[in-house]
Amino acid sequence: MEMLVVDRMVAILQLVPLNGLKETPKIQEMDAAKVAKQPRSRRTQWKQWAACISATLSMVAAGTVYGWTTTMQKRLNHIADDLPFRIEADESSWVVSVTVIGSMIGPFYGAYVAASYGRKLCLLATAAFYVTGWLLVIFAQAAWYLYLSRIILGIGVGMSYTANPMYVSEVADVNIRGALSTLIAVNVFTGSLLACSVGPWVAYRVLGVVMLAVPVLFLASFVWFPESPYYLVSKGRSAEALRALRFFKGLGDEAELRQELELVRRNIGEQASSGQSSADELKFKFSDFLLLMKTNNRRALLIVMALILGQQLSGNFSTMQYLETMFETADSAVDSHVATIIVLAVGLVSGATCTLMVEGAGRRPLLIFSGFGCAVVLGVLGAYLAVDHAPKDNVNSAINLLPVLDVIVFQVVYQIGLGTMPNLLIGELFPTNVKGIAGAIVTVFDGLTGFVVSKMFEVIFTNVGPHVPYLFFSASCTILFVFVYAFVPETKRKTFNEIQDILAELKPFEQSAFSASCWRLCARGAGKPAAVHASPGKVKAEEA
C-alpha cells in the first residue's frame, strides 16, 4: 500500500509543469506526508544542522567586527603600553561608523558571487576579507589603518548577511528552517561576546590574533560541506544536486532522491518569470530589481525593511557599540567591562532560546511580544537616565543597578523576536531568484540606517542628554509593535506557495482568506478541499 502511495506521488510530480503552475493544497499535503513518512530510507537532519552551524560561523566573524569596537573604543582614546598609537574621540566615532561603507559594497558583491558562483563560494570568500581586515588591525600604525580595515571587514559582513539567509533557507527542511535561520543572528552575538570577553584582559595585538582565528576556523570547517541544491539545479548540475540532497537529507534510495530533485526544480520553476528558463533564474542581473516591483515581492521587501528599520530605531546597535560608555555615564554599580559581558551573554542565551521556540511559538507572536517589550524597557531606561542627574549621595547604590538590569531585559525581549526574525524572513518571504538582490538591498538599508542612527546617537547622547535617544527608541518600538500586528504574516512551517498566497491576500489588521480557510480546516480536523481554492468572496460568503 505504501509503495502504491509513493508511485502515485511520483506520477503526480511528473505531470506538474515546472513553470507558472502553483501547487494545489492537495499536492502540498502529499508532499508533506511524503517528507514525514519514508519507509524505505531513514531521513536525517543532523547534517543540515552541521552545515548551517558551520556556515553561520561567518556570522560569528561578523560579530567580532562589532564586538571589537565595543571593547576597544575606550582604550584607543587613551595612551597605553600595548597600543601602537592613540586616536581622538572624533576618529574613534569614525572607526565605529566607517564599517558601513564596506557593508554597502559587500551585499551587492555578495549577491553577484552567490548567484554566479554559488552560495558556498560566496561564504568562503568572506573569510578572505575578514583575514585581510584583521591583519591590518594587528599591524596598524595609524588611524587610517583602522579605517581601511573596517571598510574591508564591512565588505565581509555585508557578504555574510547576504549569503547566509540564502544558503540556510535552501539547505534546511521546512520543519527546522526557522530554527536554523535564527542562528544567523545568534552567532553575531556569539562573536560580539567573544570579543568583549577577551578584549579587556589581553593586549591589543593578542585580541587581533584571536579575532583572526575565527574566520580561519570557519574556512577550515565549511569548505567540506556541499553547495546548495537549489543553486546546483539552477545551473543544470543535477548529478551534484542529487549528491547534495543525499548528503543533507540522509537519503539512499534513488527514487526518493529523484522526487526531492523534482520538488526543487518545481519550486525554482514556479518562481521564474514567464519565458525564463530555470537555468537562468539565479543569474545576477540589474533587471532583477524589477522583480521587486511585483506585488508579493514588494510587500515582502516592505515588511523586511520595516523590521530592519525597527531594529536600528530600537537602539540595539548603537547601545552595543557604546555599551561601556553608557554604563559609565549612568554610574552603574557594576564594572562596565563585566556589565557588557553579562549583557552580551544574556543576549546570546536569549537568541539560542529563540532557536528552540521559533518552530513552536511562530514568527509573528514572537515579533509582537518583542516589539512591545522593547518599548517598555527602553522607556524605563530613558526615564532613569532623565532623572539620574541628582547628587550621587542621594542615589541608592541598588538603584544604580537599574541600567544594567534594564539592558539585560532589553536583550532578552529584543533577541527573542526583533533581533532574529528579520534575517529569518528574508529566507522565507522571497523567491529563490529574488533572495540575492532583496538581501543586498536590505543589508545596504540596514547599513545606512545604522550609520545615521549611530552618528546621531553619539551627538544627542553627549550634547542633549543620554535619556533623549532612549525615549525616542521606546516610541519607535511602540510604532513597530503596531506595524507587526497589522502587516507581518505568520510563515511557520509554510511552503513557498502558501507564503505567497498569504502575501497576495495580505490585509492590515485582518486575517487573509487563505489563512482563515486553513484555520477553519484545521479546526474541523477535516474539510472540503475546494474550500481552500475558494476565492475571498466565496470564503466570506461561506463564513456568513
Side-chain angles (χ1 to χ4, degrees), residues 84-85 135-146 149 204-205:
F85 58 93
L135 287 174
L136 281 170
V137 170
I138 292 170
F139 297 104
Q141 297 296 323
W144 70 267
Y145 280 81
L146 295 183
S149 72
Y204 169 86
R205 287 195 170 93

Side-chain angles (χ1 to χ4, degrees), residues 26 60 72 78 194 246 314 391 441 443 471 480 484 527:
K26 187 65 177 176
V60 177
M72 287 300 300
H78 300 84
L194 174 64
R246 179 183 287 110
S314 73
I441 291 174
T443 305
L471 292 176
L480 177 69
V484 171

Side-chain angles (χ1 to χ4, degrees), residues 274-543:
S274 59
Q276 188 179 29
S277 67
S278 62
D280 293 331
E281 285 161 20
L282 300 191
K283 289 182 178 177
F284 182 85
K285 304 179 295 297
F286 284 101
S287 60
D288 289 344
F289 282 103
L290 298 178
L291 295 175
L292 293 172
M293 294 299 102
K294 293 184 177 180
T295 301
N296 285 10
N297 295 338
R298 185 175 68 250
R299 289 176 176 175
L301 183 64
L302 290 175
I303 288 171
V304 175
M305 290 182 72
L307 294 177
I308 292 295
L309 182 62
Q311 280 187 331
Q312 295 295 347
L313 293 183
S314 73
N316 180 71
F317 176 74
S318 302
T319 300
M320 291 299 102
Q321 296 300 291
Y322 295 94
L323 198 56
E324 293 188 5
T325 303
M326 191 273 288
F327 283 142
E328 288 189 347
T329 302
D331 195 32
S332 169
V334 182
D335 178 77
S336 59
H337 293 315
V338 176
T340 299
I341 293 172
I342 292 173
V343 170
L344 291 172
V346 169
L348 177 60
V349 172
S350 301
T353 302
C354 180
T355 300
L356 302 176
M357 293 174 56
V358 66
E359 293 299 351
R363 287 66 159 149
R364 177 179 160 86
L366 292 178
L367 277 170
I368 291 174
F369 169 78
S370 182
F372 179 78
C374 287
V376 173
V377 297
L378 288 171
V380 171
L381 181 58
Y384 171 86
L385 293 172
V387 301
D388 192 31
H389 301 296
K392 297 302 176 186
D393 293 339
N394 297 332
V395 180
N396 191 302
S397 60
I399 297 298
N400 289 346
L401 285 172
L402 182 60
V404 177
L405 296 175
D406 193 272
V407 175
I408 288 173
V409 175
F410 171 74
Q411 284 305 313
V412 172
V413 295
Y414 176 85
Q415 291 301 326
I416 281 179
L418 188 55
T420 50
M421 294 299 118
N423 288 309
L424 186 159
L425 291 176
I426 290 174
E428 292 188 332
L429 294 180
F430 294 103
T432 304
N433 60 326
V434 181
K435 285 179 186 175
I437 195 66
I441 291 174
V442 169
T443 305
V444 170
F445 178 73
D446 186 25
L448 286 173
T449 53
F451 176 81
V452 172
V453 172
S454 62
K455 290 296 291 183
M456 294 304 298
F457 175 84
E458 183 187 20
V459 173
I460 297 174
F461 189 95
T462 305
N463 299 318
V464 180
H467 63 288
V468 175
Y470 285 101
L471 292 176
F472 173 79
F473 294 151
S474 176
S476 299
C477 289
T478 303
I479 297 173
L480 177 69
F481 163 75
V482 176
F483 174 85
V484 171
Y485 184 82
F487 292 101
V488 177
E490 179 57 72
T491 60
K492 182 181 72 172
R493 299 191 180 183
K494 296 289 193 299
T495 65
F496 168 76
N497 288 308
E498 290 173 329
I499 293 173
Q500 293 303 302
D501 285 338
I502 292 171
L503 286 172
E505 299 177 8
L506 189 63
K507 300 174 184 178
F509 299 102
E510 291 184 21
Q511 189 179 36
S512 70
F514 182 83
S515 299
S517 61
C518 289
W519 172 257
R520 187 171 58 256
L521 287 175
C522 293
R524 291 174 182 172
K528 299 177 182 180
V532 179
H533 295 281
S535 64
K538 291 182 179 180
V539 172
K540 290 179 181 178
E542 186 177 326
E543 289 174 349

